Amino acid sequence: MLRFRFMILLLIVFISGLIQGALIPLLSTLIERDGAPAWVNGLNATMLYVGVIVSAPLLERFVRKYGFRPTIVLGIVLTAVATFALPIWPSLLVWAMMRFFIGFGDSALHYGSQVWVTSASEKRSLGRAMAYYGMSFSLGFAIGPLIAPLVDLWFWLPFLIIVFFCLASLMLVFKVENEFPEVEKVKTDSKGRIRLILVGAGYTLLPAFTYGFLEASLNANFPIFTSRNGMSLTETSTLITTFIVMSIVVQLPLGRLADLYGKKRILQIVLTFGTLVFALANLVVDSYIGLLFLFALAGAGLGSTYSLGLAHMTEVLPRSLLPTGNMLYSISFSIGSISGPMIGAFWLSLPKEIYFFMYAVILGILALRLFTSTAKPIDL
């Protein structure tokens, strides 16, 4: 039964990644075709992450009161309704609002699944469980963009496919019994729980920020950087796809290593490795083959940052604090996703020879923080 539930949750997470992977390029392309300025397009896209940030504290209360399954159902219904509304009202203002609700809904779907998996997994196999979780989302996110071009066959087609996947995930989630997070031994309010985590294990939230920053800035800014430096769109897409594919391939082996040698130790190694890879990228900035090789290495090392960080946070927190910890982890990821393209846009004005060095700095700071931080005991 536990294995069956885990498989269902992985399928739901796959669908969550698929929805995000399809909608982000689809809506951005349609807005671009409509002739809107790039900054308007970017602002519209940001509403997805605003929805995630706004939803996080509300979902923590919701999951404690109603359980995991209703949280996932809420997310699926919100996402399906908002997606169905997109082709009905093709306007920038309406799409910004719908993106907010999609962000809220997808966050609920993702959050309910994430907390359920982290709460139910044994600590000795947590790295492997989070690796499967990360692989499922990444695979969905990688396949999602293949749905976007279907808009040229029929405008409604990609939206209806996404709604279909929402309904499929709704059917799946009703095949498992509802469960609730572990009850605290000593009752604390939301602010108290947040304070306990930030003081005792705040550094464990940094991998989520870093992964969100890296993913969003590479997707939003890197294509601009390569086009300005004479690289074709095909070459750019291949580099990003290589990063994603390698992150999927290596995620499970890294999860197993994390269970054997410690989540924090493996995180330290991959972040140090990522820092060196991006530092080396400055030396081959004009070489497509050189960048392809280094992007493969970067994806293999850094693609598991989110799931390894989540596993480490789950390892050091009491189970009763996991809903709050996952809430803060989601917020940290969303802040990284919003700030990545903004800061990355500034980096585009710097000399190309130091573009990748800025990524190395961010990763190096996080690696150093992990080497110098330890979780403090949290008693409830």
Side-chain angles (χ1 to χ4, degrees):
M1 184 62 188
L2 292 176
R3 181 182 291 273
F4 175 75
R5 181 186 61 194
F6 186 62
M7 293 301 297
I8 293 292
L9 291 175
L10 291 184
L11 283 171
I12 291 171
V13 171
F14 169 81
I15 291 171
S16 172
L18 188 86
I19 292 168
Q20 279 196 41
L23 282 177
I24 291 173
L26 173 61
L27 298 183
S28 296
T29 300
L30 291 175
I31 292 172
E32 175 69 22
R33 288 180 182 179
D34 200 43
W39 69 269
V40 172
N41 202 333
L43 186 63
N44 198 282
T46 301
M47 292 304 294
L48 183 82
Y49 299 107
V50 173
V52 174
I53 292 174
V54 171
S55 71
L58 302 175
L59 291 174
E60 192 231 347
R61 299 190 195 104
F62 191 92
V63 78
R64 288 184 183 277
K65 185 174 182 179
Y66 299 106
F68 300 120
R69 193 172 72 177
T71 306
I72 296 172
V73 170
L74 171 69
I76 294 170
V77 172
L78 266 177
T79 303
V81 171
T83 301
F84 191 75
L86 289 170
I88 298 176
W89 293 290
S91 113
L92 280 174
L93 181 60
V94 173
W95 279 17
M97 292 171 58
M98 290 307 106
R99 266 183 159 168
F100 173 86
F101 287 118
I102 289 169
F104 195 110
D106 198 58
S107 173
L109 195 166
H110 201 56
Y111 176 79
S113 305
Q114 184 172 292
V115 182
W116 206 342
V117 171
T118 54
S119 298
S121 299
E122 296 181 15
K123 290 193 175 182
R124 60 184 175 84
S125 59
L126 194 54
R128 185 173 57 182
M130 290 298 98
Y132 279 121
Y133 182 91
M135 284 171 60
S136 299
F137 183 83
S138 298
L139 190 60
F141 196 82
I143 294 173
L146 300 176
I147 297 174
L150 298 177
V151 74
D152 293 326
L153 297 177
W154 180 36
F155 184 72
W156 274 77
L157 186 56
F159 300 102
L160 292 178
I161 290 174
I162 292 167
V163 172
F164 168 79
F165 277 111
C166 287
L167 297 177
S169 61
L170 192 62
M171 293 174 64
L172 287 172
V173 76
F174 277 109
K175 291 184 176 293
V176 292
E177 293 294 324
N178 186 30
E179 292 184 6
F180 291 81
E182 188 172 303
V183 179
E184 299 166 287
K185 294 177 183 177
V186 179
K187 289 288 183 182
T188 54
D189 59 11
S190 182
K191 290 183 179 178
R193 290 192 292 268
I194 291 171
R195 192 180 304 111
L196 281 171
I197 293 172
L198 292 180
V199 172
Y203 76 94
T204 62
L205 305 176
L206 292 175
F209 171 86
T210 304
Y211 185 77
F213 184 98
L214 185 66
E215 179 190 67
S217 59
L218 283 177
N219 282 319
N221 304 123
F222 184 64
I224 300 173
F225 172 79
T226 54
S227 66
R228 289 181 179 179
N229 289 282
M231 197 171 288
S232 70
L233 182 59
T234 301
E235 290 174 328
T236 303
S237 300
T238 304
L239 289 173
I240 295 174
T241 301
T242 299
F243 183 96
I244 295 171
V245 169
M246 287 302 296
S247 72
I248 295 172
V249 169
V250 182
Q251 197 141 168
L252 184 57
L254 283 178
R256 291 181 180 275
L257 288 173
D259 287 333
L260 287 173
Y261 301 107
K263 284 75 174 173
K264 185 178 177 182
R265 180 177 297 176
I266 299 301
L267 258 178
Q268 291 168 340
I269 291 171
V270 299
L271 287 167
T272 303
F273 179 73
T275 302
L276 295 174
V277 168
F278 274 105
L280 287 172
N282 291 287
L283 304 177
V284 294
V285 70
D286 291 317
S287 168
Y288 168 69
I289 298 300
L291 287 178
L292 185 66
F293 175 71
L294 290 177
F295 263 63
L297 293 179
L302 299 171
S304 301
T305 305
Y306 185 94
S307 56
L308 284 173
L310 183 60
H312 180 50
M313 183 201 72
T314 304
E315 185 179 47
V316 301
L317 290 183
R319 289 192 182 272
S320 59
L321 283 181
L322 288 181
T324 309
N326 278 269
M327 173 197 76
L328 293 173
Y329 205 78
S330 296
I331 291 175
S332 181
F333 172 79
S334 298
I335 292 173
S337 298
I338 291 173
S339 60
M342 298 165 120
I343 297 173
F346 166 72
W347 291 352
L348 292 172
S349 63
L350 300 174
K352 66 178 182 179
E353 290 78 13
I354 63 170
Y355 177 76
F356 289 112
F357 178 72
M358 303 309 293
Y359 286 105
V361 169
I362 294 289
L363 293 167
I365 290 172
L366 176 59
L368 183 63
R369 186 81 173 94
L370 283 170
F371 275 113
T372 57
S373 299
T374 53
K376 299 176 183 177
I378 300 175
D379 296 318
L380 292 177

